[in-house]
Amino acid sequence: MLTINPVRSRPVLTSLERLIGPQRSDRLRKAAAEIQDQLRGGTLWHVNSTPTGGGVAEMLRTLLPLYDELGVRSRWAVVSGDDAFFRITKRLGVALYGSDGDGGPLGPAERDAYLSALAPAADQFVDHVDRRDVVILHDHQTAGMAPLLADRVASVHWRCHVGVDEPTDASERGWEFLADLLDAADSLIFSVADHVPARLRHRPVRIQPPFISPFDAKNVDLPADAVRACLAQCGLDPNGEPARSPLSVETAAGGVRLLSTPTVISDGGRQLGEPLITQVSRWDRLKDMAGVLTAVTDHVPVGHLALVGPDPDAIADDVEQGFWYADCLDRWRKLPPAQRRRVSLVSLPMADQTENALLVNAIQRASDVVVQKSLAEGFGLTVAEAMWKSRVVVGSAVGGIRAQITDGVDGYLLTDPADLRGLGRIITNTLSGAVDRQEIGARAHQRVRDDFLPDREVTTTASMLAPERMVTR
């Protein structure tokens, strides 16, 4: 099944140009004109597997309105499937991250089921495209559409946001599942150079990291009273202010109504004067929320830990979230009372994306340390978001996080993601005053400003579509 996802347009171009300055603004407008020339009146399509939740959906909600302001016709299509399809794609995604996941097979039967689920979406999509159009397919959920679309549009490009730093048997099985389907793509786009598998290195490949939007509710500056109101909504206000719903919060991105109530598991909550340590991510084994919980309760003597994720039932393309949320909840319940009091599990509602984004923004801004202890990572958007807010980020030295953080300069890297004592030592050192958090945060903000804003996406896409880079079918 396929749906065309509408995107509510909000002008961002003027604010972006003010932020990036005249030279980058000029390159941005020239790149947009080049994309228009290559489309010859056609449409630039992005296709993924969920309209909400996850980094791809967040990027597209910023990118398409920006294209609209720049005069580039773009649209967003979302493919969906049944539980069997998403079980296979979850297994496949975990394999591409180098893990066996649920241990299930990725053989001919699974591939037939995967392609059968995508075929109706491709058939529907064909009714919306013509031969001038350019299609960018995102991640493993959509890769099987490449051969079905190759002769129907001007070009098809596949973008991979996942991967593993060193190949494993599991990742090789994942690439075996996908590789020949990608023969139909004109080019491949990876977030991280090390994630390009050997079997695809002969193909046209571009390295294109994702970006954040500094103007949406997730990243816009917030006044102190808005931060406090959101913290109260999430049970993290150290002053013990009660949550109020409905609540209106004014931001530079406009007013936001907080109508939903997050699910908060806590035993006393954050105390006055207690530093806030936060990880924001999906409830996913590879994000290792449970490892963060153990590292902080065992190896960090002060501070309140907030493990913040989406409502585990709200993201259709990730069928394992409920399991890993339940795992964290079980570990929390088994903690001694004194340690249990130091941890809050916060599940944010997903019904309203702006509301969800505002809550994440406020929690990150209130945090003294933001953690991203992934076991594997394509590109850590939550890392870039927290860096933009001038927070000190401690991330695992895996995947794109290594390209985002320069250790000891604009954040800190944990060499071994399994080293819980090491993570505790870095957090403790950061909270103790032994490092200049303000200076680290300022450099983190500048790194995002330089490399991870939306204009980079437009200029690299223009380069990808340049005639000399196109593959003749």
Side-chain angles (χ1 to χ4, degrees), residues 93-123:
V94 171
L96 296 177
Y97 274 125
S99 172
D100 288 320
D102 66 3
L106 286 171
E110 287 71 31
R111 191 162 120 147
D112 287 346
Y114 166 81
L115 292 174
S116 295
L118 283 176
D123 288 342

Side-chain angles (χ1 to χ4, degrees), residues 272-343:
L272 192 63
E274 194 171 33
L276 182 59
I277 307 158
T278 301
Q279 177 159 312
V280 179
S281 64
R282 290 193 187 194
W283 306 101
D284 186 304
R285 187 189 72 82
L286 294 176
K287 307 302 183 185
D288 199 20
M289 294 279 228
V292 178
L293 185 152
T294 301
V296 171
T297 55
D298 284 1
H299 303 297
V300 180
V302 298
H304 190 89
L305 173 65
L307 296 176
V308 182
D311 173 356
D313 297 322
I315 300 179
D317 71 340
D318 192 341
V319 295
E320 294 184 0
Q321 289 218 66
F323 176 86
W324 294 109
Y325 173 75
D327 177 66
C328 278
L329 180 57
D330 182 61
R331 292 170 187 257
W332 177 84
R333 285 172 172 156
K334 292 177 179 176
L335 289 171
Q339 297 290 32
R340 192 165 60 241
R341 188 208 59 75
R342 298 180 58 213
V343 180

